[in-house]
């Protein structure tokens, strides 16, 4: 086999991997956008506590990840289970990336709405950019600086509705939105090495399990179980299977295959899906300033990716 043929094969394999990452990221982003809408329905209609919902999502979905790992990646699952160092690393990923991401997002949805929370989450791209510039020891490029400026303007419009001195969002919602952005950056950066070593199913499975246990120790979920009818139970199952297992598995696989920057870029489908769902399913109406702010933040992602 010639060197040229080998190089062509490797290039094709790389292109297929990137293409798979793109598809996974888009599907994962779509499911995550819908997840916020369904979560808002449960919290508003059935008075479900945000942290209780987060606990149930993590505890319920972790077994799907572990089962998937047992079926498709048994070797790396066994390697992780029999290594204290591996489990400790995955535990740190679970707390720093997964738990932080879940709690901040669901609290932002609770305080505001799924569209606003998901758009604020997109600001995590700025954190990814800062990290990459620090690691590569380079200054931001002109388009990246422009992207950051647009993100600041967009955040201002979303927060104030275009009225100086007037906060359009609850203070708690604005704070959780910014924390959600920080968590999004962590989710795009922190799990990368672990994902490459043990795979997304293993990392997600034990990461969610560890973070659910930690969260459960703090909130005692058995003391505030909400009254759920069949419709609410089906919505909760959808959140666990699609919004958690499906969204995280696909998105983190997208990060592994396509890279953090490309995954963050494609992840802008999340606010689009979430905004459509918020308007059509929840009946929210956004002002022109809100829509413009959303658009500027999404443009920021394209400029900085």
């Amino acid at each position: 086999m010639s060197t040229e043929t080998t190089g062509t094969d490797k290039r094709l394999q790389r292109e297929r991997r990137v293409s798979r990452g793109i598809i996974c990221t888009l599907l994962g982003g779509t499911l995550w956008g819908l997840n916020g809408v369904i979560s808002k329905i449960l919290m508003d209609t059935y008075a479900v506590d945000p942290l209780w919902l987060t606990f149930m999502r993590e505890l319920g979905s972790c077994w799907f990840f572990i089962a998937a790992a047992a079926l498709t990646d048994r070797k790396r699952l066994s390697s992780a289970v029999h290594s204290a160092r591996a489990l400790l690393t995955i535990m740190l990923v679970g707390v720093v990336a997964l738990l932080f991401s879940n709690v901040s997002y669901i609290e932002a949805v609770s305080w505001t709405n799924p569209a606003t929370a998901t758009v604020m989450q997109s600001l995590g791209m700025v954190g990814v950019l800062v990290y990459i510039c620090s690691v590569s020891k380079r200054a931001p490029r002109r388009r990246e600086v422009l992207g950051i400026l647009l993100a600041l303007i967009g955040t201002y419009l979303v927060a104030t509705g275009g009225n100086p001195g007037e906060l359009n969002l609850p203070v708690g919602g604005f704070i959780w939105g910014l924390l959600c952005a920080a968590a999004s950056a962590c989710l795009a950066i922190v799990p990368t090495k672990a994902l490459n070593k043990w795979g997304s199913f293993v990392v997600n499975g034990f990461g969610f399990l560890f973070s659910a246990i930690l969260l459960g120790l703090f909130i005692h979920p058995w003391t505030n179980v909400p009254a759920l009818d069949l419709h609410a139970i089906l919505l909760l199952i959808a959140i666990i299977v699609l919004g958690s297992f499906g969204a995280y598995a696909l998105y983190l696989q997208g990060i592994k295959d396509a890279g953090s920057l490309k995954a963050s870029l494609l992840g802008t489908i999340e606010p689009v899906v979430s905004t459509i769902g918020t308007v059509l399913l929840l009946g929210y109406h956004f002002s022109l300033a809100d829509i413009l702010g959303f658009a500027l933040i999404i443009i920021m992602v394209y400029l900085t990716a």
Side-chain angles (χ1 to χ4, degrees), residues 139-201:
R141 301 183 179 95
R142 289 183 179 178
R143 60 181 293 167
E144 293 169 341
V145 173
L146 176 60
I148 292 173
L149 291 175
L150 290 180
L152 293 175
I153 296 172
T155 303
Y156 167 80
L157 290 174
V158 171
T160 66
N163 296 320
E166 180 177 331
L167 193 61
N168 193 42
L169 296 176
V171 175
F174 184 66
I175 293 173
W176 278 113
L178 294 179
L179 289 174
C180 191
S184 175
C186 289
L187 186 63
I189 297 168
V190 173
T192 304
K193 290 183 179 179
L195 289 169
N196 289 331
K197 189 168 185 178
W198 294 294
S200 63
F201 289 142

Side-chain angles (χ1 to χ4, degrees), residues 60-133:
S61 63
C62 74
W63 307 113
F64 287 94
F65 285 113
I66 293 173
L71 291 173
T72 64
D73 208 359
R74 189 170 299 177
K75 184 176 181 180
R76 287 199 286 189
L77 174 62
S78 177
S79 173
V81 169
H82 292 92
S83 170
R85 183 176 181 180
L87 292 176
L88 179 60
T89 300
I90 295 173
M91 183 186 299
L92 290 174
V93 169
V95 174
V96 175
L98 299 178
L99 182 59
F100 184 24
S101 173
N102 270 285
V103 170
S104 60
Y105 178 72
I106 204 69
E107 288 287 357
V109 169
S110 176
W111 279 87
T112 59
N113 58 75
T116 301
T118 310
V119 169
M120 294 290 284
Q121 185 183 49
S122 299
L123 290 171
M125 186 63 198
V126 176
V128 175
L129 173 63
V130 171
Y131 171 79
I132 290 176
C133 287

